[in-house]
Amino acid sequence: MKKVVKFGGSSLASAEQFKKVGNIIRAEESRRYVVPSAPGKRFSADTKVTDMLYGCYAAAENGEDFTEKLAAIKDRYQEIIDGLGLKFSLDEDFEVICKNFSEKAGSNYAASRGEFLNGKIMAAYLGFEFIDATEVVRFDENGDFQSEITNEIMSARLEKAKNAVIPGFYGATEEGRVVTFSRGGSDITGSLVARAVNADLYENWTDVSGFLIADPRIVKGSKSIETITYKELRELSYMGASVLHEDAIFPVRRAGIPINIRNTNAPADKGTLIVEATCYQPKYTITGIAGTDGFAAITIEKAMMNSEVGFCRKVLQVFEDNGVSIEHMPSGIDTMTIFVHKDKFEEKEQQILAGIHKAVDPDHIELESDLALIAIVGRGMKSTRGTAGRIFSALAHAHINVKMIDQGSSELNIIVGVRHDDFKNAIKALYEIFVLTQI
Ligand SMILES: Nc1ncnc2c1ncn2[C@@H]1O[C@H](COP(=O)(O)OP(=O)(O)O)[C@@H](O)[C@H]1O
Ligand SMILES: N[C@@H](CC(=O)OP(=O)(O)O)C(=O)O
């Protein structure tokens, strides 16, 4: 039995948390490969080390004095080292970091030091080999991740290691330039390591007892999900359930390795098992609800739109030419609406509108911003009649106006668009009808 264990920043925020992690790893010999994140928040108003590093590097880049900021980061690590009673010094590492910050080594390099340093402490604490992610995670010159080369290099390197700590979140180009994944990317490293060593299980340890049906910051005391499929999880992760990075699913999925989300603060809890397929019937019609804020909708109206061959393509071409990706596209007889991320759209708003006018000469264009999209996801929805009806009635009872509805053809999810102000209440109303009242 071979397990890869990834610990998130919340599990490694202090010496006390490190000790819990040590106990978890030592409890099973099969927990051979460890992927740590950088220290996260110790309390809710605290700052993650990754954010401290970004802040410190921004000061360095602006030519400001960053010594205090760097010293505060060093203190975070020193507190952990002292709390663990380790005879271990990061002085030399901090000298190198200071020099590289002065020489403007880049924000990716800066952010990666959070995981690098935590990995070194973790390896010393466990007595495991430390393998720098720059050695085994490969990006190309454009900063694009190279999955197959990474798998080859990593498999060969890890075959030689009985136990190892591989820091999450970053890798490097062939020339050694450090590149990070997007935020939360240590989950991806964990998944890559699991694939490379052909693990039996990828355990992802965090601060909640598995994937919860709804974001616990919105629905207090949300129930957890026992078993979820990769497909369902991808829908929820994409839509904002931030427990697991959405790109962490592909590497293990293709290798058929299940993921187990576990709670470092409650290690006896079984957590959530993420699998390819399961006969296990979910307790409720839905498996989970997740949503994201910050969308804009562009509604284009033109009489006889439907009979104009190539209309949609021409509109979509305008978005493509401006580098704005489209999230959803519900349409009517003479209207089509395009949902995009507001921030991306705002940068190019006027070019896109001008482009649409030129491309299809619409009768009318309407813009609406401050929208949120909510995905109601579940493999059980396919075999249950009336799910959409229940969604509408729950939202209507909560006095929430539905701006859009989109049901995927796989019947795995229904996405509704609501106004930003209704976002949290909509999630609460959906949780109530599907989980609490179960009507
Ligand atoms: N559906 C959900 N189930 C569980 N947690 C969720 C969900 N949606 C959002 N979260 C949030 O995700 C957090 C865990 O992810 P993250 O902060 O990345 O942890 P870590 O630091 O361990 O990587 C939880 O503390 C919780 O606030
Ligand atoms: N430390 C990085 C990468 C990461 O995955 O962190 P966490 O596991 O704490 O979400 C970040 O904050 O984005």
Side-chain angles (χ1 to χ4, degrees), residues 34-260:
V34 181
V35 177
S37 288
K41 294 182 178 191
R42 292 160 295 182
F43 41 89
S44 64
D46 200 11
T47 310
K48 287 177 105 177
V49 164
T50 308
D51 293 308
M52 294 171 85
L53 284 160
Y54 279 123
C56 180
Y57 185 71
E61 211 173 27
N62 289 334
E64 294 163 21
D65 179 9
F66 61 90
T67 34
E68 256 179 47
K69 287 191 163 69
L70 196 60
I73 295 167
K74 194 173 176 200
D75 285 349
R76 288 286 309 263
Y77 288 104
Q78 201 55 51
E79 199 181 293
I80 295 172
I81 292 172
D82 294 344
L84 296 176
L86 292 176
K87 300 256 170 299
F88 183 74
S89 167
L90 290 175
D91 287 353
E92 275 180 30
D93 292 292
F94 271 93
E95 272 169 34
V96 174
I97 291 170
C98 185
K99 183 169 168 288
N100 287 337
F101 274 33
S102 306
E103 290 171 4
K104 309 204 169 123
S107 64
N108 276 226
Y109 165 80
S112 76
R113 297 304 84 185
E115 272 68 12
F116 172 79
L117 297 167
N118 230 19
K120 286 190 111 180
I121 299 177
M122 177 66 88
Y125 180 52
L126 296 171
F128 282 15
E129 183 180 352
F130 174 78
I131 298 178
D132 192 350
T134 51
E135 207 191 309
V136 289
V137 178
R138 192 63 73 240
F139 288 84
D140 69 12
E141 269 316 300
N142 302 321
D144 291 328
F145 173 61
Q146 303 283 288
S147 81
E148 294 316 303
I149 301 173
T150 297
N151 194 47
E152 267 172 45
I153 305 174
M154 202 184 256
S155 305
R157 179 66 184 86
L158 293 180
E159 213 178 357
K160 296 186 211 137
K162 182 172 180 291
N163 299 100
V165 173
I166 309 100
F169 190 41
Y170 69 94
T173 62
E174 224 179 320
E175 285 70 39
R177 178 170 60 86
V178 173
V179 181
T180 61
F181 292 111
S182 56
R183 295 301 302 266
S186 297
D187 290 332
I188 307 174
T189 312
S191 186
L192 298 174
V193 174
R195 180 184 171 209
V197 301
N198 203 7
D200 297 286
L201 187 66
Y202 169 25
E203 288 180 346
N204 188 296
W205 292 81
T206 180
D207 63 348
V208 274
S209 288
F211 225 98
L212 306 177
I213 293 176
D215 188 332
R217 292 164 295 191
I218 299 174
V219 176
K220 296 268 172 288
S222 166
K223 296 191 179 172
S224 66
I225 302 166
E226 262 181 61
T227 310
I228 185 171
T229 63
Y230 290 128
K231 269 193 195 161
E232 291 172 306
L233 181 83
R234 171 131 171 82
E235 302 278 353
L236 291 170
S237 301
Y238 183 76
M239 229 10 143
S242 58
V243 197
L244 194 71
H245 193 294
E246 48 164 326
D247 294 341
I249 296 159
F250 295 110
V252 278
R253 183 175 181 184
R254 63 191 294 176
I257 302 165
I259 310 174
N260 191 189

Side-chain angles (χ1 to χ4, degrees), residues 10 15-16 20 37 87 122 141 255 329 401 435:
S10 54
E16 197 191 327
K20 291 182 192 168
S37 288
K87 300 256 170 299
M122 177 66 88
E141 269 316 300
M329 202 180 65
N401 182 19
V435 181

Side-chain angles (χ1 to χ4, degrees), residues 296-301 305 315-316 319 326-332 334-340 366 368 371 403-404 406:
I298 302 103
T299 298
I300 302 162
E301 264 183 60
M305 174 190 289
V315 171
L316 297 185
F319 285 86
I326 283 160
E327 293 301 316
H328 290 282
M329 202 180 65
S331 62
D334 289 329
T335 62
M336 69 186 280
T337 303
I338 292 170
F339 278 77
V340 287
E366 201 174 300
E368 191 162 8
L371 296 173
K403 308 292 298 178
M404 180 251 0
D406 191 352

